[in-house]
Amino acid sequence: MNETELESILKKARLPEISGESLEMFPRRIVARLKGNNLPPRAPRGFWPRFAWAFGLAASIVVAMNLGHWHERREAIPPGDLLANVKWVREALAMFPNRLRAIVQDERGLNLVLSDSDDLPASPPLYIRICDGEHCSSFVT
Amino acid sequence: MTGSPDDAEELAQDAFVRAYQRLGTFNGESRFSSWLCKIAINLSLDWRRRERRRDHLRTKWAAEVAAGDNPGDGFPDELSWRVQGALNRLPAKQRAAIVLTIYENQSHAEAAKTLGCAEATVSWRVFAARRKLKHLLKDLPHE
């Protein structure tokens, strides 16, 4: 058997079919595991409810303050801000279709906020950056 | 990488969970899919070491091949089943190199980044794996 023949045999081999039900349940199983004992250690108890209120208020303030300063803010985005990378954000959205509520980057690191079900409407992501002098946090929602 | 659809699904879940937990370590230097693939491959290699199933699988597959058993585990045809059996008999890192270069269409350089080793190491593993696969699959009809 030569290399070409081996290559042909290897590429002809097909994997067992994955059932549609397995594919459909796959994201739910991951979300269920993340909500269980496998939650990231950085997510303290009670963080998400407080975060939801803080995010809503902060988003309203920031959007109002940033009207008319969009171009200047884009130039000031530091290179280390992963959420400013449109390509990465699109890949993250593709990983969790209709399920990704927000992506948060702060001094604790990067965190995803996922919905329990895939019922979120598709809409263009909105990038928001909030700085209080020393610390900055970025959100994509 | 596992030879088992059930184990593959479980490891796939592990990969996504670990990626979520380590999202802060992704620095954007590579594509997100490449970073996720690396996590999945490393989990597969750890799984093999932890489970110590290599000898068991070798024995199992060798017995099934010798007995000429019909394809199982949902494989669509005998060729696919035989190829999976041969892949299972490779050392884990050689199998990883073949899976990445043949089925993920990665170059040796890309596979080396995924596996965290030198490109020359990947080339050697691919060479050794292909030599062994030719021996294991020599009785399969080929064009």
Side-chain angles (χ1 to χ4, degrees):
Chain A
M1 184 188 298
N2 60 33
E3 291 293 329
T4 307
E5 288 162 347
L6 175 65
E7 188 95 2
S8 171
I9 287 174
L10 291 178
K11 290 199 170 174
K12 274 185 198 171
R14 291 180 293 137
L15 294 171
E17 297 289 331
I18 302 173
S19 70
E21 185 187 354
S22 289
L23 279 176
E24 195 174 318
M25 291 300 297
F26 189 78
R28 295 175 196 227
R29 291 195 188 112
I30 293 175
V31 172
R33 283 181 64 173
L34 290 171
K35 285 188 169 185
N37 294 331
N38 291 326
L39 275 174
R42 288 179 182 166
R45 187 176 298 179
F47 170 75
W48 295 120
R50 281 184 282 148
F51 166 75
W53 282 105
F55 176 72
L57 178 62
S60 304
I61 295 172
V62 169
V63 168
M65 289 178 64
N66 279 281
L67 283 175
H69 296 283
W70 174 245
H71 291 295
E72 184 179 334
R73 183 167 291 276
R74 282 178 67 182
E75 291 171 2
I77 294 173
D81 191 344
L82 194 60
L83 298 187
N85 186 327
V86 175
K87 183 181 173 186
W88 183 86
V89 170
R90 283 192 182 141
E91 284 192 352
L93 286 169
M95 296 288 292
F96 301 96
N98 300 114
R99 203 181 276 276
L100 187 58
R101 288 185 180 277
I103 309 173
V104 180
Q105 184 174 29
D106 55 19
E107 63 273 9
R108 283 183 291 264
L110 204 61
N111 288 292
L112 301 182
V113 182
L114 298 175
S115 168
D116 289 343
S117 57
D118 54 352
D119 57 357
L120 295 180
S123 60
L126 176 67
Y127 172 86
I128 300 171
R129 185 173 174 81
I130 302 173
C131 295
D132 63 356
E134 289 184 6
H135 301 289
C136 290
S137 298
S138 306
F139 311 92
V140 169
T141 182
Chain B
M1 286 294 296
T2 66
S4 161
D6 291 336
D7 291 327
E9 182 173 341
E10 187 173 334
L11 282 173
Q13 289 184 31
D14 291 346
F16 275 88
V17 169
R18 182 165 293 191
Y20 178 78
Q21 291 172 336
R22 296 184 178 180
L23 212 48
T25 65
F26 177 66
N27 54 20
E29 287 182 356
S30 61
R31 287 185 306 169
F32 187 77
S33 54
S34 300
W35 180 74
L36 184 60
C37 182
K38 185 172 184 177
I39 290 175
I41 289 286
N42 286 332
L43 279 172
S44 300
L45 294 175
D46 289 343
W47 174 82
R48 292 291 295 182
R49 281 192 290 268
R50 190 172 60 245
E51 295 291 329
R52 295 184 183 177
R53 291 177 63 170
R54 183 192 304 174
D55 290 337
H56 168 68
L57 278 176
R58 276 182 177 163
T59 305
K60 176 188 169 193
W61 282 102
E64 287 178 355
V65 169
D69 289 346
N70 291 325
D73 291 335
F75 283 91
D77 51 59
E78 183 176 351
L79 181 139
S80 303
W81 176 74
R82 288 285 307 278
V83 167
Q84 181 65 67
L87 288 171
N88 281 352
R89 294 177 69 177
L90 294 174
K93 292 184 179 178
Q94 286 183 17
R95 183 169 61 255
I98 282 288
V99 167
L100 289 174
T101 54
I102 297 287
Y103 297 104
E104 297 294 323
N105 293 316
Q106 289 190 8
S107 65
H108 288 197
E110 289 167 335
K113 278 188 182 176
T114 302
L115 294 171
C117 62
E119 185 177 345
T121 304
V122 169
S123 299
W124 166 252
R125 287 176 184 166
V126 169
F127 169 76
R130 292 176 83 100
R131 187 174 55 183
K132 189 163 186 180
L133 288 171
K134 280 186 207 173
H135 172 72
L136 291 170
L137 300 171
K138 63 179 182 239
D139 59 336
L140 275 180
H142 50 83
E143 296 171 5

PDB file of all heavy atoms in Angstrom, chain A residues 1-18:
ATOM      1  N   MET A   1       0.845  -1.195   0.000  1.00  0.00           N
ATOM      2  CA  MET A   1       0.000   0.000   0.000  1.00  0.00           C
ATOM      3  C   MET A   1       0.883   1.247   0.000  1.00  0.00           C
ATOM      4  O   MET A   1       1.775   1.377   0.847  1.00  0.00           O
ATOM      5  CB  MET A   1      -0.880  -0.001   1.259  1.00  0.00           C
ATOM      6  CG  MET A   1      -1.871   1.157   1.317  1.00  0.00           C
ATOM      7  SD  MET A   1      -2.750   1.277   2.894  1.00  0.00           S
ATOM      8  CE  MET A   1      -3.612  -0.252   2.955  1.00  0.00           C
ATOM      9  N   ASN A   2       0.672   2.154  -0.927  1.00  0.00           N
ATOM     10  CA  ASN A   2       1.494   3.370  -0.952  1.00  0.00           C
ATOM     11  C   ASN A   2       0.784   4.499  -0.200  1.00  0.00           C
ATOM     12  O   ASN A   2      -0.322   4.326   0.334  1.00  0.00           O
ATOM     13  CB  ASN A   2       1.812   3.777  -2.401  1.00  0.00           C
ATOM     14  CG  ASN A   2       0.555   4.063  -3.218  1.00  0.00           C
ATOM     15  OD1 ASN A   2      -0.442   4.559  -2.686  1.00  0.00           O
ATOM     16  ND2 ASN A   2       0.583   3.745  -4.504  1.00  0.00           N
ATOM     17  N   GLU A   3       1.434   5.654  -0.142  1.00  0.00           N
ATOM     18  CA  GLU A   3       0.911   6.778   0.642  1.00  0.00           C
ATOM     19  C   GLU A   3      -0.435   7.254   0.106  1.00  0.00           C
ATOM     20  O   GLU A   3      -1.344   7.571   0.870  1.00  0.00           O
ATOM     21  CB  GLU A   3       1.907   7.945   0.620  1.00  0.00           C
ATOM     22  CG  GLU A   3       3.200   7.681   1.382  1.00  0.00           C
ATOM     23  CD  GLU A   3       2.979   7.546   2.879  1.00  0.00           C
ATOM     24  OE1 GLU A   3       2.052   8.199   3.414  1.00  0.00           O
ATOM     25  OE2 GLU A   3       3.714   6.764   3.511  1.00  0.00           O
ATOM     26  N   THR A   4      -0.553   7.300  -1.200  1.00  0.00           N
ATOM     27  CA  THR A   4      -1.803   7.774  -1.802  1.00  0.00           C
ATOM     28  C   THR A   4      -2.960   6.847  -1.465  1.00  0.00           C
ATOM     29  O   THR A   4      -4.074   7.297  -1.151  1.00  0.00           O
ATOM     30  CB  THR A   4      -1.659   7.885  -3.336  1.00  0.00           C
ATOM     31  OG1 THR A   4      -0.515   8.676  -3.647  1.00  0.00           O
ATOM     32  CG2 THR A   4      -2.895   8.529  -3.949  1.00  0.00           C
ATOM     33  N   GLU A   5      -2.698   5.546  -1.523  1.00  0.00           N
ATOM     34  CA  GLU A   5      -3.751   4.574  -1.216  1.00  0.00           C
ATOM     35  C   GLU A   5      -4.156   4.670   0.260  1.00  0.00           C
ATOM     36  O   GLU A   5      -5.345   4.615   0.591  1.00  0.00           O
ATOM     37  CB  GLU A   5      -3.259   3.160  -1.560  1.00  0.00           C
ATOM     38  CG  GLU A   5      -3.170   2.912  -3.073  1.00  0.00           C
ATOM     39  CD  GLU A   5      -2.298   1.719  -3.433  1.00  0.00           C
ATOM     40  OE1 GLU A   5      -1.559   1.228  -2.540  1.00  0.00           O
ATOM     41  OE2 GLU A   5      -2.341   1.303  -4.596  1.00  0.00           O
ATOM     42  N   LEU A   6      -3.166   4.808   1.123  1.00  0.00           N
ATOM     43  CA  LEU A   6      -3.482   4.961   2.554  1.00  0.00           C
ATOM     44  C   LEU A   6      -4.299   6.214   2.793  1.00  0.00           C
ATOM     45  O   LEU A   6      -5.292   6.202   3.525  1.00  0.00           O
ATOM     46  CB  LEU A   6      -2.197   5.015   3.382  1.00  0.00           C
ATOM     47  CG  LEU A   6      -2.400   5.292   4.880  1.00  0.00           C
ATOM     48  CD1 LEU A   6      -3.150   4.138   5.548  1.00  0.00           C
ATOM     49  CD2 LEU A   6      -1.066   5.529   5.581  1.00  0.00           C
ATOM     50  N   GLU A   7      -3.891   7.312   2.180  1.00  0.00           N
ATOM     51  CA  GLU A   7      -4.610   8.587   2.320  1.00  0.00           C
ATOM     52  C   GLU A   7      -6.063   8.413   1.883  1.00  0.00           C
ATOM     53  O   GLU A   7      -6.988   8.894   2.546  1.00  0.00           O
ATOM     54  CB  GLU A   7      -3.930   9.656   1.460  1.00  0.00           C
ATOM     55  CG  GLU A   7      -4.469  11.056   1.678  1.00  0.00           C
ATOM     56  CD  GLU A   7      -3.651  11.831   2.674  1.00  0.00           C
ATOM     57  OE1 GLU A   7      -2.648  11.304   3.178  1.00  0.00           O
ATOM     58  OE2 GLU A   7      -4.027  12.972   2.960  1.00  0.00           O
ATOM     59  N   SER A   8      -6.247   7.705   0.769  1.00  0.00           N
ATOM     60  CA  SER A   8      -7.594   7.508   0.240  1.00  0.00           C
ATOM     61  C   SER A   8      -8.444   6.696   1.212  1.00  0.00           C
ATOM     62  O   SER A   8      -9.603   7.037   1.481  1.00  0.00           O
ATOM     63  CB  SER A   8      -7.504   6.794  -1.110  1.00  0.00           C
ATOM     64  OG  SER A   8      -8.782   6.413  -1.557  1.00  0.00           O
ATOM     65  N   ILE A   9      -7.866   5.641   1.768  1.00  0.00           N
ATOM     66  CA  ILE A   9      -8.619   4.811   2.719  1.00  0.00           C
ATOM     67  C   ILE A   9      -8.971   5.613   3.968  1.00  0.00           C
ATOM     68  O   ILE A   9     -10.103   5.564   4.460  1.00  0.00           O
ATOM     69  CB  ILE A   9      -7.799   3.551   3.092  1.00  0.00           C
ATOM     70  CG1 ILE A   9      -7.781   2.582   1.917  1.00  0.00           C
ATOM     71  CG2 ILE A   9      -8.354   2.874   4.336  1.00  0.00           C
ATOM     72  CD1 ILE A   9      -6.897   1.375   2.127  1.00  0.00           C
ATOM     73  N   LEU A  10      -8.012   6.349   4.488  1.00  0.00           N
ATOM     74  CA  LEU A  10      -8.268   7.102   5.715  1.00  0.00           C
ATOM     75  C   LEU A  10      -9.366   8.144   5.503  1.00  0.00           C
ATOM     76  O   LEU A  10     -10.227   8.346   6.367  1.00  0.00           O
ATOM     77  CB  LEU A  10      -6.986   7.799   6.194  1.00  0.00           C
ATOM     78  CG  LEU A  10      -5.879   6.883   6.718  1.00  0.00           C
ATOM     79  CD1 LEU A  10      -4.648   7.706   7.108  1.00  0.00           C
ATOM     80  CD2 LEU A  10      -6.359   6.056   7.889  1.00  0.00           C
ATOM     81  N   LYS A  11      -9.347   8.786   4.354  1.00  0.00           N
ATOM     82  CA  LYS A  11     -10.327   9.856   4.112  1.00  0.00           C
ATOM     83  C   LYS A  11     -11.695   9.295   3.760  1.00  0.00           C
ATOM     84  O   LYS A  11     -12.702   9.989   3.899  1.00  0.00           O
ATOM     85  CB  LYS A  11      -9.828  10.784   3.007  1.00  0.00           C
ATOM     86  CG  LYS A  11      -8.647  11.604   3.485  1.00  0.00           C
ATOM     87  CD  LYS A  11      -8.407  12.840   2.628  1.00  0.00           C
ATOM     88  CE  LYS A  11      -7.382  13.724   3.321  1.00  0.00           C
ATOM     89  NZ  LYS A  11      -6.980  14.866   2.507  1.00  0.00           N
ATOM     90  N   LYS A  12     -11.743   8.059   3.310  1.00  0.00           N
ATOM     91  CA  LYS A  12     -13.048   7.456   3.015  1.00  0.00           C
ATOM     92  C   LYS A  12     -13.783   7.093   4.298  1.00  0.00           C
ATOM     93  O   LYS A  12     -15.011   6.994   4.309  1.00  0.00           O
ATOM     94  CB  LYS A  12     -12.861   6.195   2.182  1.00  0.00           C
ATOM     95  CG  LYS A  12     -12.768   6.407   0.691  1.00  0.00           C
ATOM     96  CD  LYS A  12     -12.699   5.074  -0.016  1.00  0.00           C
ATOM     97  CE  LYS A  12     -12.175   5.248  -1.415  1.00  0.00           C
ATOM     98  NZ  LYS A  12     -11.882   3.961  -2.063  1.00  0.00           N
ATOM     99  N   ALA A  13     -13.049   6.870   5.385  1.00  0.00           N
ATOM    100  CA  ALA A  13     -13.679   6.463   6.641  1.00  0.00           C
ATOM    101  C   ALA A  13     -14.590   7.570   7.143  1.00  0.00           C
ATOM    102  O   ALA A  13     -14.224   8.747   7.115  1.00  0.00           O
ATOM    103  CB  ALA A  13     -12.600   6.144   7.675  1.00  0.00           C
ATOM    104  N   ARG A  14     -15.775   7.195   7.592  1.00  0.00           N
ATOM    105  CA  ARG A  14     -16.734   8.176   8.070  1.00  0.00           C
ATOM    106  C   ARG A  14     -17.032   7.908   9.538  1.00  0.00           C
ATOM    107  O   ARG A  14     -17.058   6.773   9.984  1.00  0.00           O
ATOM    108  CB  ARG A  14     -18.023   8.113   7.258  1.00  0.00           C
ATOM    109  CG  ARG A  14     -17.849   8.599   5.829  1.00  0.00           C
ATOM    110  CD  ARG A  14     -19.151   8.528   5.063  1.00  0.00           C
ATOM    111  NE  ARG A  14     -19.590   7.161   4.841  1.00  0.00           N
ATOM    112  CZ  ARG A  14     -20.843   6.755   4.986  1.00  0.00           C
ATOM    113  NH1 ARG A  14     -21.765   7.595   5.370  1.00  0.00           N
ATOM    114  NH2 ARG A  14     -21.165   5.504   4.754  1.00  0.00           N
ATOM    115  N   LEU A  15     -17.266   8.994  10.285  1.00  0.00           N
ATOM    116  CA  LEU A  15     -17.570   8.874  11.699  1.00  0.00           C
ATOM    117  C   LEU A  15     -19.015   8.424  11.874  1.00  0.00           C
ATOM    118  O   LEU A  15     -19.847   8.653  10.999  1.00  0.00           O
ATOM    119  CB  LEU A  15     -17.380  10.218  12.401  1.00  0.00           C
ATOM    120  CG  LEU A  15     -15.947  10.745  12.463  1.00  0.00           C
ATOM    121  CD1 LEU A  15     -15.944  12.165  12.981  1.00  0.00           C
ATOM    122  CD2 LEU A  15     -15.092   9.850  13.343  1.00  0.00           C
ATOM    123  N   PRO A  16     -19.332   7.789  13.018  1.00  0.00           N
ATOM    124  CA  PRO A  16     -20.735   7.468  13.293  1.00  0.00           C
ATOM    125  C   PRO A  16     -21.575   8.740  13.294  1.00  0.00           C
ATOM    126  O   PRO A  16     -21.103   9.797  13.698  1.00  0.00           O
ATOM    127  CB  PRO A  16     -20.703   6.852  14.697  1.00  0.00           C
ATOM    128  CG  PRO A  16     -19.302   6.386  14.878  1.00  0.00           C
ATOM    129  CD  PRO A  16     -18.446   7.318  14.089  1.00  0.00           C
ATOM    130  N   GLU A  17     -22.799   8.615  12.819  1.00  0.00           N
ATOM    131  CA  GLU A  17     -23.679   9.772  12.758  1.00  0.00           C
ATOM    132  C   GLU A  17     -24.052  10.233  14.174  1.00  0.00           C
ATOM    133  O   GLU A  17     -24.294   9.413  15.050  1.00  0.00           O
ATOM    134  CB  GLU A  17     -24.973   9.416  11.996  1.00  0.00           C
ATOM    135  CG  GLU A  17     -24.725   9.034  10.546  1.00  0.00           C
ATOM    136  CD  GLU A  17     -24.312  10.230   9.708  1.00  0.00           C
ATOM    137  OE1 GLU A  17     -24.728  11.349  10.036  1.00  0.00           O
ATOM    138  OE2 GLU A  17     -23.538  10.039   8.752  1.00  0.00           O
ATOM    139  N   ILE A  18     -24.075  11.546  14.363  1.00  0.00           N
ATOM    140  CA  ILE A  18     -24.530  12.113  15.633  1.00  0.00           C
ATOM    141  C   ILE A  18     -26.005  12.453  15.478  1.00  0.00           C
ATOM    142  O   ILE A  18     -26.397  13.132  14.524  1.00  0.00           O
ATOM    143  CB  ILE A  18     -23.740  13.391  15.979  1.00  0.00           C
ATOM    144  CG1 ILE A  18     -22.246  13.067  16.047  1.00  0.00           C
ATOM    145  CG2 ILE A  18     -24.209  13.980  17.294  1.00  0.00           C
ATOM    146  CD1 ILE A  18     -21.374  14.276  16.211  1.00  0.00           C
TER     147      ILE A  18
END
